[in-house]
Amino acid sequence: MFKKVLIANRGEIALRIIRACKELGIRTVAIYCEPDATARYVKKADEAYLVTPGPLRGYLNIYGIVELAKNVGADAIHPGYGFLAENPQFAEACAQAGITFIGPNPQAIRKMGLKDEARKIAQKLGIPLLPGTPPLQSIDEALSAAREIGYPVMVKAVAGGGGRGLRICYDEESLKRQIPIAMSEAKKAFGDERVFIEKYLERPHHIEIQIVADKYGKIIHLGERDCSIQRRHQKLIEIAPSLLLTEKVRCQMGEAAKRLAYEVGYDNVGTVEFLVDENLNYYFLEMNTRIQVEHTITEEITGIDLVQNMIKIACGEPLEIKQYEVTLNGYAIQCRINAEDPLNDFLPSTGTVTAYYSPGGFGIRIDGHVTEGYNVSPYYDSLLAKLVARGRTWEETVRRMHRALSEYIIRGVKTTIPLYIKIMEDEDFFKGNFSTRYIEEKLPSLLYIEEKDPFDMAVILSAAIIAHSRV
């Protein structure tokens, strides 16, 4: 087992990795940029080092991070998610320095990181695909392909992920307009401006299969997560297992994900993403070669610690879990508590958290890094915490999440909590009637969020006091 792991990340995922390491008896090294100097994960690590300059560059400095790991005696690096997590050059730099990268091998990252290459591999294996194109050479080529595929289509970044470099087009004019925008966004986000187009399904479910693979060719899947509740292709609420899939389709998708992982020599945890239509036809979308933000809900319904398995597999241990031993127990929901204002087009909200009270109780889990006095910076992702509720039934899980959200207090910045409360109260959500367009279609009604006016509250309190005095 490793003696010391450097965590090349920040925030809640860094804290999650620290906890996993502590349970395995591994010392941890945190890195931080100046805005994170007083962050919770920095305090919880056994060692912490400032990486400068600026608020971001230190988290993206491949050779600086590897050199620091060597200097402090770390024998492994965990990249978390985001930043360098899916960068094959980072994994290669670790290997060249004699440091273990806690994630898949560089070749697998590279093969699955380019969407056009991943599509070719899926096609070779007979995994269903939406009609699409190779990387585009011109707008005229895109227009010709779109006529053949049929509108609507998606413009997608070849090296993309997380909704960046992705645009939906319903006609030729929008396609002409959106391709340059998508290319510019892809260049800025990934250093690769290439895009391709793919048929767009109007109301699919976005469903992903969690796989775990060791270095000896053994691969299992841990069921699925439904990530359809999203806005602008950014996930907000995730559910495990899906309310849509049958056991037969779940097995088919799981086996397809395993075949894909085996084909590229995958080792460690990963996620294969699909779109599923109302008739349960599924289509390969992409593979994420890292731990996912929403890994929590898979852990809750399977009882399997994914982060600890990442570490053990990277250390060379064989996978102990057999496919038939994986059981999905109950349901779990994750709400991403973001510092965003749903009433203002989800504009990021920055400032100091002036009050913080987290919910608890049976079936509730929080992965977060926020406390009272925490400064929400404009430099990083708006995610503050991940609130997870688990129950025996779907109905119990929704009610438990509603209760937990109602207890959650974060003051000083706007958050997505009020929106999530409304979603938990929505009849369509409760019945499982949702798709990737749920937020887009339901937002006007969901945004009717009652905010108590201080004057009205004062009147109510005064009336109550008067009434009590007359008793």
Side-chain angles (χ1 to χ4, degrees):
M1 186 55 69
F2 302 121
K3 294 181 179 179
K4 186 184 290 188
V5 170
L6 183 143
I7 301 160
N9 217 295
R10 62 174 298 278
E12 68 86 15
I13 189 60
L15 191 57
R16 170 72 183 90
I17 297 164
I18 289 169
R19 286 169 171 159
C21 287
K22 284 185 180 294
E23 291 182 14
L24 293 172
I26 301 170
R27 291 182 60 81
T28 54
V29 180
I31 61 172
Y32 64 94
C33 290
E34 290 165 345
D36 281 331
T38 60
R40 192 176 175 194
Y41 79 93
V42 173
K43 297 175 182 177
K44 292 294 183 181
D46 295 298
E47 304 172 33
Y49 297 92
L50 177 66
V51 286
T52 54
L56 280 171
R57 195 178 303 173
Y59 295 121
L60 298 169
N61 185 348
I62 290 175
Y63 298 104
I65 292 171
V66 172
E67 188 64 25
L68 175 61
K70 288 170 60 179
N71 292 340
V72 301
D75 45 0
I77 293 177
H78 197 306
Y81 54 72
F83 293 136
L84 299 170
E86 293 179 282
N87 188 313
Q89 287 80 24
F90 186 38
E92 287 168 344
C94 290
Q96 290 167 5
I99 294 171
T100 301
F101 178 80
I102 301 177
N105 62 79
Q107 293 75 25
I109 297 174
R110 185 170 280 107
K111 286 177 181 177
M112 301 314 294
L114 297 175
K115 287 188 172 63
D116 59 328
E117 292 301 316
R119 280 177 59 89
K120 289 177 184 176
I121 296 168
Q123 186 175 33
K124 172 186 171 184
L125 297 173
I127 298 171
L129 290 168
L130 290 167
T133 70
L136 298 168
Q137 301 300 317
S138 67
I139 290 181
D140 286 341
E141 181 186 353
L143 293 172
S144 176
R147 291 187 201 107
E148 184 176 342
I149 292 170
Y151 289 95
V153 297
M154 291 183 290
V155 180
K156 302 177 71 174
V158 169
R164 297 178 181 87
L166 192 155
R167 293 289 186 277
I168 299 167
C169 305
Y170 288 89
D171 52 43
E172 289 195 356
E173 287 306 311
S174 64
L175 184 58
K176 290 178 186 177
R177 186 171 61 253
Q178 294 295 344
I179 284 179
I181 296 172
M183 291 175 67
S184 175
E185 189 174 274
K187 178 70 173 177
K188 182 178 179 181
F190 312 111
D192 186 341
E193 69 176 8
R194 292 179 301 158
V195 297
F196 67 103
I197 62 173
E198 189 175 80
K199 178 65 179 176
Y200 175 64
L201 294 182
E202 287 281 9
R203 287 178 175 79
H205 280 245
H206 184 157
I207 292 180
E208 58 191 29
I209 302 291
Q210 177 70 61
I211 62 108
V212 185
D214 65 18
K215 295 180 179 296
Y216 311 103
K218 183 177 179 181
I219 306 172
I220 63 171
H221 75 84
L222 305 183
E224 80 282 358
R225 300 182 287 258
D226 191 324
C227 307
S228 301
I229 309 297
Q230 50 187 256
R231 51 95 185 157
R232 295 197 292 270
H233 311 290
Q234 299 289 318
K235 300 167 186 173
L236 294 175
I237 296 174
E238 295 99 352
I239 297 157
S242 166
L243 302 172
L244 179 70
L245 298 191
T246 62
E247 184 61 31
K248 178 181 178 181
V249 175
R250 173 178 296 117
C251 290
Q252 290 174 348
M253 293 175 68
E255 290 304 311
K258 287 162 64 174
R259 292 203 316 273
L260 193 70
Y262 187 82
E263 179 68 18
V264 298
Y266 200 88
D267 54 336
N268 219 275
V269 307
T271 303
V272 181
E273 304 202 357
F274 297 88
L275 293 179
V276 182
D277 68 20
E278 59 186 6
N279 297 315
L280 297 185
N281 299 306
Y282 59 90
Y283 305 93
F284 171 72
L285 189 62
E286 63 184 12
M287 184 175 189
N288 291 312
T289 57
R290 53 171 166 79
I291 192 74
Q292 293 277 84
V293 176
E294 59 273 20
H295 73 276
T296 55
I297 52 177
T298 295
E299 292 181 330
E300 290 300 307
I301 65 168
T302 63
I304 295 170
D305 188 314
L306 285 166
V307 178
Q308 286 196 17
N309 270 280
M310 291 186 77
I311 296 167
K312 291 176 180 179
I313 290 167
C315 194
E317 294 187 13
L319 188 59
E320 296 178 349
I321 310 157
K322 296 177 176 61
Q323 187 64 66
Y324 72 83
E325 294 176 324
V326 177
T327 57
L328 310 183
N329 298 308
Y331 288 87
I333 301 173
Q334 175 180 280
C335 289
R336 300 191 188 196
I337 310 302
N338 296 332
E340 297 173 347
D341 185 1
L343 293 171
N344 192 14
D345 197 29
F346 292 91
L347 188 72
S349 179
T350 59
T352 301
V353 175
T354 56
Y356 183 87
Y357 176 82
S358 59
F362 186 82
I364 296 298
R365 166 179 173 176
I366 294 181
D367 284 28
H369 63 287
V370 178
T371 57
E372 184 176 334
Y374 177 81
N375 181 54
V376 181
S377 166
Y379 303 115
Y380 309 121
D381 187 88
S382 62
L383 181 66
L384 301 179
K386 302 181 307 193
L387 175 62
V388 178
R390 181 180 178 275
R392 292 177 300 109
T393 66
W394 171 245
E395 293 78 10
E396 180 180 75
T397 309
V398 174
R399 292 192 179 102
R400 183 162 291 149
M401 176 60 82
H402 183 273
R403 185 267 299 170
L405 287 164
S406 300
E407 291 179 6
Y408 213 157
I409 296 173
I410 301 178
R411 299 282 184 264
V413 294
K414 298 286 187 180
T415 75
T416 47
I417 292 172
L419 172 65
Y420 296 153
I421 291 174
K422 299 293 285 188
I423 291 174
M424 296 302 134
E425 295 170 351
D426 180 60
E427 185 176 355
D428 282 332
F429 178 80
F430 194 77
K431 290 181 177 179
N433 297 329
F434 53 78
S435 71
T436 55
R437 295 189 63 183
Y438 173 86
I439 291 292
E440 176 187 344
E441 294 173 344
K442 301 281 289 190
L443 198 57
S445 61
L446 294 172
L447 284 182
Y448 180 68
I449 300 169
E450 295 183 21
E451 294 189 2
K452 302 296 184 182
D453 184 278
F455 176 77
D456 290 342
M457 290 302 297
V459 171
I460 293 169
L461 288 171
S462 297
I465 291 169
I466 292 169
H468 181 73
S469 66
R470 290 175 178 171
V471 175

